Amino acid sequence: DAKTTQPTSMDCAEGRAANLPCNHSTISGNEYVYWYRQIHSQGPQYIIHGLKNNETNEMASLIITEDRKSSTLILPHATLRDTAVYYCIVRVVTTSGTYKYIFGTGTRLKVLA
Amino acid sequence: NAGVTQTPKFQVLKTGQSMTLQCAQDMNHNSMYWYRQDPGMGLRLIYYSASEGTTDKGEVPNGYNVSRLNKREFSLRLESAAPSQTSVYFCASNLAEQETQYFGPGTRLLVL
């Protein structure tokens, strides 16, 4: 299974862009990268996902390198409410044809006033 | 539209006791999942149900059983709780296995 590696923690000033990196060097060609966040131990909240191309939605942008071995989640204007643990997840296809999320340990992002 | 709901929110058990964690979704999703999260860790898959009437083991199924009661509900049972099962349990669902998963608020379980 592909595994993800993320920094344990990061700080970001309020109003600035938060750039959260993720390494997934063993990812396979059909495996998607998903990002979720978890605020105060609540249920994980979906942010964005992608396969090859860069993606943007109302919450964030996802930049995937051309070789797909790493990606960066960008929160363009971080607010205090973005303080959370951010998980980079690889969605794998098992040998039985089912889909599975592989969670890492996440990055604890602290947005500073 | 409540999304994914879980009951109870908190539970304390003694070693050897049994209990059932309930999960329901009102999004007409076909697939449902049970995860556990230990302190400082990511989530690990216990069991999942790709569709009504089917269930399969995930990464850490030992000590648990599941029932997909109907399309809306997916329960997780601990027959004989152990301290190692102290964790936060999350239920999730998606329309189909390849789609984005949506998570419930979690059940915090302490086994003494």
Side-chain angles (χ1 to χ4, degrees):
Chain A
D1 286 348
K3 298 257 187 339
T4 59
T5 305
Q6 299 176 252
T8 303
S9 64
M10 292 180 66
D11 290 341
C12 177
E14 190 178 20
R16 304 296 293 267
N19 297 285
L20 291 90
C22 178
N23 285 322
H24 31 78
S25 57
T26 59
I27 198 169
S28 297
N30 61 348
E31 293 173 347
Y32 278 74
V33 177
Y34 278 73
W35 283 83
Y36 280 73
R37 71 182 183 185
Q38 195 173 23
I39 299 173
H40 295 310
S41 297
Q42 296 172 14
Q45 176 191 20
Y46 168 76
I47 302 172
I48 199 166
H49 73 282
L51 181 64
K52 296 182 198 177
N53 300 321
N54 298 338
E55 302 287 346
T56 295
N57 63 20
E58 64 278 4
M59 287 182 72
S61 295
L62 174 60
I63 309 297
I64 302 174
T65 57
E66 198 168 333
D67 63 7
R68 303 214 320 122
K69 292 187 176 183
S70 65
S71 59
T72 301
L73 177 74
I74 301 172
L75 307 178
H77 304 287
T79 71
L80 298 177
R81 280 186 275 188
D82 291 322
T83 292
V85 178
Y86 287 77
Y87 291 101
C88 171
I89 296 159
V90 173
R91 193 198 73 187
V92 304
V93 182
T94 68
T95 51
S96 58
T98 58
Y99 296 85
K100 188 167 68 169
Y101 281 9
I102 305 294
F103 279 80
T105 53
T107 295
R108 187 172 296 276
L109 176 70
K110 188 172 182 182
V111 179
L112 306 171
Chain B
N1 191 334
V4 180
T5 56
Q6 294 182 235
T7 56
K9 287 187 169 54
F10 303 97
Q11 184 70 48
V12 180
L13 291 178
K14 294 181 180 177
T15 296
Q17 286 185 317
S18 62
M19 81 160 293
T20 300
L21 283 65
Q22 305 286 354
C23 173
Q25 51 87 13
D26 62 1
M27 298 178 282
N28 201 33
H29 284 173
N30 291 301
S31 302
M32 298 184 74
Y33 308 80
W34 276 106
Y35 292 87
R36 62 177 287 174
Q37 185 176 32
D38 299 320
M41 306 283 288
L43 280 68
R44 291 183 294 168
L45 184 64
I46 305 172
Y47 269 95
Y48 65 98
S49 170
S51 61
E52 189 178 352
T54 69
T55 60
D56 284 290
K57 295 178 181 179
E59 193 182 345
V60 288
N62 290 346
Y64 304 96
N65 285 303
V66 289
S67 295
R68 183 73 183 268
L69 304 169
N70 48 55
K71 190 172 185 179
R72 289 187 64 247
E73 298 171 291
F74 188 37
S75 63
L76 178 72
R77 182 158 178 85
L78 288 70
E79 290 292 351
S80 179
S84 60
Q85 294 178 304
T86 292
S87 191
V88 182
Y89 291 85
F90 290 101
C91 177
S93 71
N94 55 6
L95 185 61
E97 283 187 84
Q98 66 270 30
E99 301 294 330
T100 299
Q101 291 184 25
Y102 294 92
F103 287 81
T107 293
R108 282 146 186 79
L109 177 66
L110 173 62
V111 183
L112 301 174

